[in-house]
Amino acid sequence: MSSDYEFSDDDGDYYVDDEDMIDGTQDESGQSDDDMDMDAYGDDFKVVPKGKRKSYEVDYDSLSQSAVEKLINDDVEHICGIFGVDASIASLLLRYMSWNKERLIEKYMDNPSAITVAAGITVPEPPSPSAPIRSGPSSATQTTPTARRPTRSSTSKFPSFGSSKSTPSKTPSISPAQPFATPRAAKSEPFVCPICFDDSPTLRTLSLDCKHAFCSGCWTAYLSSKIRDEAEHAIRCMAEGCALVTPDPFIQSVLVPEPGAPAGDPAEEAENAATWARFQELVVRHFVASNPNLKYCPYPSCTNTVSCPSAALKASLITVVPTVSCGARGVGGQMSQSQSQPAQSSLGVAGREHRFCFGCPIESDHRPVVCGVARMWLKKCRDDSETANWIKSNTKECTMCQSTIEKNGGCNHMTCKKCKHEFCWVCMGPWSEHGTAWYSCNRYDEKGGVDARDAQSKSRASLERYLHYYNRWANHEQSAKLSLDLYAKTEKKMEDMQITSALTWIEVQFMKKAVEEVDKCRMTLKWTYAMAYYLAKGNEKDLFEDNQRDLEKAVEDLSELLESPIEAENIPALRQKVTDKTVYVQKRNEIVLEDTATGFLDSRWKWNVTVDGFDDPEKSDN
Amino acid sequence: MVANSTVWHIDCKNDKTSNIRIDLIDESPFHLKGSFPGPEGTPYQGGHFEVDIVIPESYPFQPVKMKFITKVYHPNVSSASGAICLDILKDAWSPVLTLKSTLISLQSLLCSPEPNDPQDAEVAKHYTTSKNSFDDTAVYWTQIYAGGPGPKEKGQNAGSKSEARDEVAMAGLEKAHVDKFESLGFSRSKVIDVLRRLNYRGANVAKLTDDRIVEELLK
């Protein structure tokens, strides 16, 4: 689903016409049933993409964890069907081959036993898992006999799974339903877990096909440690040098008690269940990471995945900005369902959509700039801004000769070492105007001071140029951060409006919509400055900056309207104005995005520096 | 988990043949010092090597942290910090491994260096380019740091400045460290001698203060 607001002509009319249209358009919201509970009012503005998309948008799909699990299951079942193996084995094979089905099938057809051994599914033949270097009690491990398990019919389907030719009766495959317990033969010497040296006769022991038996407590601790601390999805047997990987059903049987089992410590069980859930998430993450078409939502504790095949290739990133959204809002990917405070949950940063760039690690919408330029800009800001900030905050320039001066002590009566100009450090005005008020300058807004500050900004051309763009960039970023306050203020205003006028809740939503639009456009504006900084001089840049200026002006106008005080009598007028402006701002934003995106597609933009993936600026000039 | 390490602590004490010892460094049972003799037939023969052992909270499900206290000239051991590059201390760790078996593995690492997976690139380069010269240095280090018997014939007497400089490199000391104490007015050879004896490594593992070095120099 796309969350960009698109406007057909009908929708445009809605803004121009009056309230009675609202009811008429309500029907349209039925198009997006899923969103109904999320932001029903928003559907007045929102139109679900009808096949067409803007050139600054990319096609993408948001998948929940269960949807990805379904994809995984499809792959696993496919492999199961071809190889005739259990799902858990197919899953291990796929994970070993980084979910590359074609390569797996090729390799498996080539030499099934080699790949099952390499993937840690079967014990190599002859079965000689290197014995741990140890003496004493450990010998018990080796001598621990394990009861044989019933032979399964899948043996014939999957002959390579025999762990050893000499033991044909042993079941070769791992069955998911079967408990992995290896009950001890009664007559053997008592079992001592080689890890914790527990020899209690009631000990529950578990082992994989390699028959390395350990007590269930050690297995639980080991699996938890691997899953929780190391985020490992291919966990080997605990025995030294044993390459067997624990299949999912085994992990589940260790972590999740079987139904009917005696209840243990509830806290511990909850912990283990969480570990099991975490393991499943790790498998999903591995699947997503192995597939270039998929990307995990980077927002904290969100488990959604976005599929965007059009941006999977690195080469495509110079023409498109794959801004995607996983569809979730807020923290944890769960839009709070609490209807009691709908405004609170849907407004503000906490309720913001999980929007990110599919092509690079920047966790925000950096349209209209392509990833390469955006990264360059961020790097430059990190490298330069500290120095620039230091110079800006610690030095001033002599108003006569423009020498850079750092004041390291003393009074505010400065005398330039170079040109002997005397001035006031506080207001930068000539000292002669200060009379005897040496230590307190109250002349800050005097004309002389203003002129001096203007003069100061004339120098340091390149730094100034950078700062010009940087400051605007940072300003919009700052404004975006302050939007939380603005949201809160707007909410307050919306409440006031409902009290002071006859408008209903749904009718004052235009304010919120406007705030959201301002926020979104500030994001666009922010990145247009990064873009403008790197754009080579020329008509294209002028056009770009014209668009930028128009958008900026529109945004500032709307911002101002939102800040204006509310009086009962002018609410209808204000509403009209804000709604009009919102549409206008929206259109302007669209123009900037659209024009820039088509520019990338036509490779119209020329840079003043070398950008990854683009032609050299010198060469392209010819 | 403590029980486990204690068991092996006792096990090592009872086991006289392997010559592997584990001692407490301080009060904590999680911070130990292991030591073992250099394996026969290697440049480390006759040396006595000490290893700093830190037992993590989740032991034995997470590997123990080990590094050499004694300076070792070996491709898989950092000559500066004593850090060890050994698979079983990382991803090949198994909960079945014990302090004793890990120390035995360290011992066998000394027998069979893996120069293709080096911890100390300089040393590994030395090892691959000129094995004989590497062995000489390793024997020399074993002698001065691990109390080994030293090379067969003894002909090293630091005299001229150039030789002394070589000796700084040979002993694996940082020139800056030697210069620092030399600038205090001690003779170069003495500084080298003391730093070597005290196993000095800058902000080192053994946490030697400058005062301690000077004290030693004044003796």
Side-chain angles (χ1 to χ4, degrees):
Chain A
M1 117 188 165
S2 163
S3 30
D4 282 293
Y5 298 98
E6 291 191 8
F7 282 82
S8 66
D9 290 337
D10 303 333
D11 295 310
D13 289 340
Y14 152 59
Y15 286 100
V16 183
D17 288 346
D18 225 335
E19 279 115 89
D20 16 352
M21 278 299 286
I22 289 177
D23 298 321
T25 46
Q26 285 296 304
D27 302 336
E28 273 192 39
S29 62
Q31 289 169 337
S32 51
D33 298 333
D34 307 340
D35 300 339
M36 276 303 282
D37 47 351
M38 206 163 17
D39 46 3
Y41 67 90
D43 291 336
D44 294 346
F45 297 82
K46 188 185 283 181
V47 172
V48 175
K50 299 167 189 132
K52 59 164 189 174
R53 64 183 172 88
K54 308 278 190 236
S55 55
Y56 58 84
E57 284 170 353
V58 288
D59 274 330
Y60 64 90
D61 243 327
S62 173
L63 307 165
S64 65
Q65 177 160 343
S66 53
V68 179
E69 274 166 1
K70 201 174 162 300
L71 286 180
I72 293 176
N73 277 339
D74 290 349
D75 275 6
V76 167
E77 271 167 31
H78 185 202
I79 293 298
C80 285
I82 295 176
F83 297 168
V85 296
D86 277 340
S88 63
I89 292 163
S91 170
L92 285 184
L93 283 169
L94 278 164
R95 268 186 258 164
Y96 173 70
M97 293 302 294
S98 298
W99 302 94
N100 189 333
K101 268 196 285 185
E102 287 71 28
R103 290 251 301 139
L104 171 63
I105 293 169
E106 200 178 289
K107 281 214 163 191
Y108 191 85
M109 293 310 172
D110 210 33
N111 188 348
S113 56
I115 191 162
T116 49
V117 168
I121 294 162
T122 45
V123 185
E125 289 182 57
S128 58
S130 55
I133 321 164
R134 60 206 335 276
S135 55
S138 69
S139 56
T141 328
Q142 264 66 45
T143 54
T144 307
T146 44
R148 61 188 56 155
R149 298 198 225 121
T151 320
R152 281 170 46 90
S153 56
S154 67
T155 317
S156 51
K157 274 193 279 176
F158 192 62
S160 68
F161 265 72
S163 50
S164 148
K165 281 167 196 139
S166 58
T167 56
S169 64
K170 273 188 187 168
T171 171
S173 62
I174 296 156
S175 76
Q178 196 176 341
F180 288 82
T182 46
R184 281 158 277 137
K187 279 163 236 146
S188 75
E189 61 180 283
F191 175 82
V192 178
C193 174
I195 292 169
C196 61
F197 300 109
D198 196 341
D199 55 359
S200 141
T202 57
L203 216 56
R204 181 167 159 246
T205 66
L206 303 160
S207 75
L208 301 175
D209 270 7
C210 54
K211 312 299 177 209
H212 296 129
F214 304 97
C215 77
S216 60
C218 284
W219 270 115
T220 311
Y222 175 70
L223 292 177
S224 303
S225 155
K226 282 280 176 191
I227 293 167
R228 296 231 157 203
D229 303 345
E230 293 179 40
E232 183 65 66
H233 63 85
I235 304 168
R236 288 182 302 121
C237 166
M238 284 200 280
E240 193 203 355
C242 181
L244 232 54
V245 175
T246 53
D248 300 6
F250 179 85
I251 297 174
Q252 189 174 17
S253 74
V254 171
L255 293 176
V256 184
E258 287 152 52
D265 178 14
E268 203 174 295
E269 270 179 24
E271 182 90 343
N272 287 344
T275 308
W276 169 241
R278 170 80 179 138
F279 174 78
Q280 287 168 305
E281 192 190 318
L282 287 175
V283 173
V284 169
R285 276 183 185 261
H286 181 244
F287 176 79
V288 170
S290 305
N291 189 335
N293 289 342
L294 299 178
K295 197 168 168 172
Y296 218 74
C297 175
Y299 282 75
S301 58
C302 180
T303 55
N304 286 349
T305 299
V306 169
S307 154
C308 181
S310 54
L313 287 176
K314 224 172 174 280
S316 64
L317 294 180
I318 64 162
T319 51
V320 290
V321 185
T323 301
V324 297
S325 156
C326 81
R329 280 164 177 263
V331 178
Q334 290 141 6
M335 172 70 184
S336 62
Q337 302 293 322
S338 52
Q339 294 299 319
S340 53
Q341 37 166 331
Q344 205 58 48
S345 59
S346 55
L347 275 182
V349 168
R352 201 169 281 175
E353 200 174 4
H354 292 183
R355 186 173 275 285
F356 60 97
C357 175
F358 194 86
C360 65
I362 300 172
E363 284 177 26
S364 64
D365 179 357
H366 63 72
R367 285 182 301 189
V369 196
V370 289
C371 301
V373 178
R375 263 202 309 269
M376 246 163 68
W377 171 256
L378 286 181
K379 183 170 184 298
K380 183 166 178 66
C381 293
R382 267 198 303 277
D383 293 351
D384 281 6
S385 55
E386 284 314 303
T387 316
N389 285 342
W390 189 89
I391 292 174
K392 239 177 80 169
S393 54
N394 291 292
T395 72
K396 291 181 181 182
E397 283 162 10
C398 169
T399 50
M400 294 291 271
C401 67
Q402 265 78 48
S403 312
T404 306
I405 299 167
E406 180 196 2
K407 183 168 137 69
N408 58 4
C411 73
N412 289 325
H413 180 178
M414 306 296 288
T415 307
C416 176
K417 259 209 155 141
K418 208 168 156 196
C419 66
K420 309 288 178 223
H421 174 62
E422 290 180 50
F423 62 95
C424 166
W425 181 257
V426 177
C427 70
M428 298 305 284
W431 191 255
S432 51
E433 293 174 13
H434 278 68
T436 50
W438 281 35
Y439 286 95
S440 61
C441 177
N442 53 359
R443 305 169 55 87
Y444 192 72
D445 285 326
E446 283 295 326
K447 180 149 184 327
V450 173
D451 285 350
R453 283 194 295 280
D454 283 350
Q456 186 181 336
S457 66
K458 276 176 198 153
S459 66
R460 285 187 274 186
S462 79
L463 180 63
E464 278 303 317
R465 178 172 176 278
Y466 164 68
L467 285 177
H468 168 90
Y469 291 105
Y470 177 76
N471 286 338
R472 278 154 187 79
W473 190 82
N475 181 34
H476 284 299
E477 183 162 77
Q478 187 62 25
S479 304
K481 277 185 191 145
L482 291 176
S483 64
L484 191 63
D485 288 349
L486 190 61
Y487 276 129
K489 259 195 272 173
T490 310
E491 252 162 41
K492 181 88 179 56
K493 274 191 184 171
M494 281 158 62
E495 273 167 34
D496 289 351
M497 261 192 244
Q498 286 176 65
I499 295 163
T500 52
S501 73
L503 293 176
T504 60
W505 181 82
I506 195 84
E507 285 166 324
V508 295
Q509 292 305 310
F510 73 91
M511 285 294 277
K512 189 191 150 188
K513 171 70 187 132
V515 172
E516 279 184 350
E517 201 54 44
V518 165
D519 194 28
K520 210 165 84 178
C521 292
R522 283 204 188 280
M523 212 59 163
T524 311
L525 277 172
K526 181 175 109 172
W527 287 103
T528 55
Y529 283 106
M531 172 125 176
Y533 180 77
Y534 287 112
L535 272 181
K537 262 190 192 159
N539 288 342
E540 300 294 352
K541 185 177 183 179
D542 290 346
L543 284 173
F544 178 81
E545 287 186 327
D546 284 350
N547 280 332
Q548 181 190 39
R549 186 200 55 217
D550 290 346
L551 174 60
E552 186 153 50
K553 177 146 191 333
V555 168
E556 294 307 335
D557 285 353
L558 181 56
S559 272
E560 206 181 319
L561 272 182
L562 289 174
E563 301 275 351
S564 63
I566 293 190
E567 280 146 43
E569 62 270 23
N570 65 15
I571 284 179
L574 180 73
R575 177 161 189 264
Q576 188 61 54
K577 264 204 262 174
V578 169
T579 317
D580 286 351
K581 259 299 189 241
T582 309
V583 177
Y584 179 64
V585 163
Q586 217 157 21
K587 288 242 159 92
R588 289 253 56 112
N589 189 27
E590 212 161 288
I591 287 169
V592 169
L593 293 176
E594 184 85 44
D595 179 63
T596 323
T598 43
F600 279 118
L601 288 172
D602 311 341
S603 29
R604 172 153 42 96
W605 306 117
K606 302 281 177 263
W607 310 103
N608 53 19
V609 287
T610 314
V611 181
D612 274 353
F614 289 89
D615 295 336
D616 239 0
E618 285 78 28
K619 267 187 246 161
S620 55
D621 282 345
N622 299 334
Chain B
M1 306 309 145
V2 183
N4 189 348
S5 59
T6 317
V7 167
W8 287 103
H9 190 172
I10 294 162
D11 183 61
C12 282
K13 281 210 164 145
N14 295 340
D15 183 2
K16 302 289 183 221
T17 52
S18 66
N19 277 324
I20 288 178
R21 279 179 56 88
I22 295 175
D23 300 297
L24 287 170
I25 285 185
D26 40 36
E27 293 298 294
S28 163
F30 299 103
H31 193 191
L32 308 167
K33 182 170 81 178
S35 59
F36 57 83
E40 303 282 315
T42 65
Y44 312 101
Q45 180 176 348
H48 175 78
F49 295 92
E50 294 190 335
V51 180
D52 179 273
I53 303 169
V54 175
I55 304 197
E57 210 174 292
S58 45
Y59 178 83
F61 303 105
Q62 293 289 320
V64 287
K65 294 183 173 65
M66 288 193 174
K67 65 182 175 190
F68 274 104
I69 298 170
T70 312
K71 270 195 165 211
V72 185
Y73 199 72
H74 187 283
N76 305 107
V77 179
S78 163
S79 56
S81 66
I84 304 161
C85 180
L86 181 61
D87 57 350
I88 61 157
L89 292 178
K90 295 180 184 103
D91 47 343
W93 168 260
S94 153
V96 188
L97 289 169
T98 63
L99 295 181
K100 186 181 155 194
S101 59
T102 313
L103 286 172
I104 291 174
S105 300
L106 276 187
Q107 205 176 13
S108 63
L109 178 71
L110 293 187
C111 298
S112 47
E114 269 299 336
N116 296 327
D117 182 20
Q119 170 77 36
D120 195 309
E122 284 285 311
V123 181
K125 204 175 142 208
H126 194 184
Y127 181 88
T128 45
T129 50
S130 122
K131 180 77 169 58
N132 282 339
S133 151
F134 167 86
D135 282 349
D136 286 348
T137 313
V139 168
Y140 182 61
W141 279 41
T142 308
Q143 181 204 356
I144 59 175
Y145 295 119
K152 277 103 207 168
E153 75 281 277
K154 283 198 173 183
Q156 287 165 320
N157 267 326
S160 73
K161 186 104 179 170
S162 66
E163 257 180 53
R165 192 159 298 169
D166 283 343
E167 206 181 332
V168 173
M170 190 76 172
L173 293 170
E174 297 257 342
K175 193 170 173 300
H177 296 149
V178 177
D179 288 348
K180 184 168 88 184
F181 291 106
E182 198 183 11
S183 68
L184 296 175
F186 299 100
S187 82
R188 194 172 184 86
S189 55
K190 181 149 194 194
V191 171
I192 293 171
D193 184 52
V194 166
L195 291 185
R196 208 152 92 202
R197 195 144 39 80
L198 293 175
N199 192 12
Y200 185 78
R201 285 176 193 177
N204 54 20
V205 187
K207 296 195 181 61
L208 289 171
T209 60
D210 288 0
D211 289 351
R212 171 87 180 78
I213 307 279
V214 172
E215 208 174 273
E216 197 68 25
L217 282 164
L218 287 170
K219 272 184 191 166

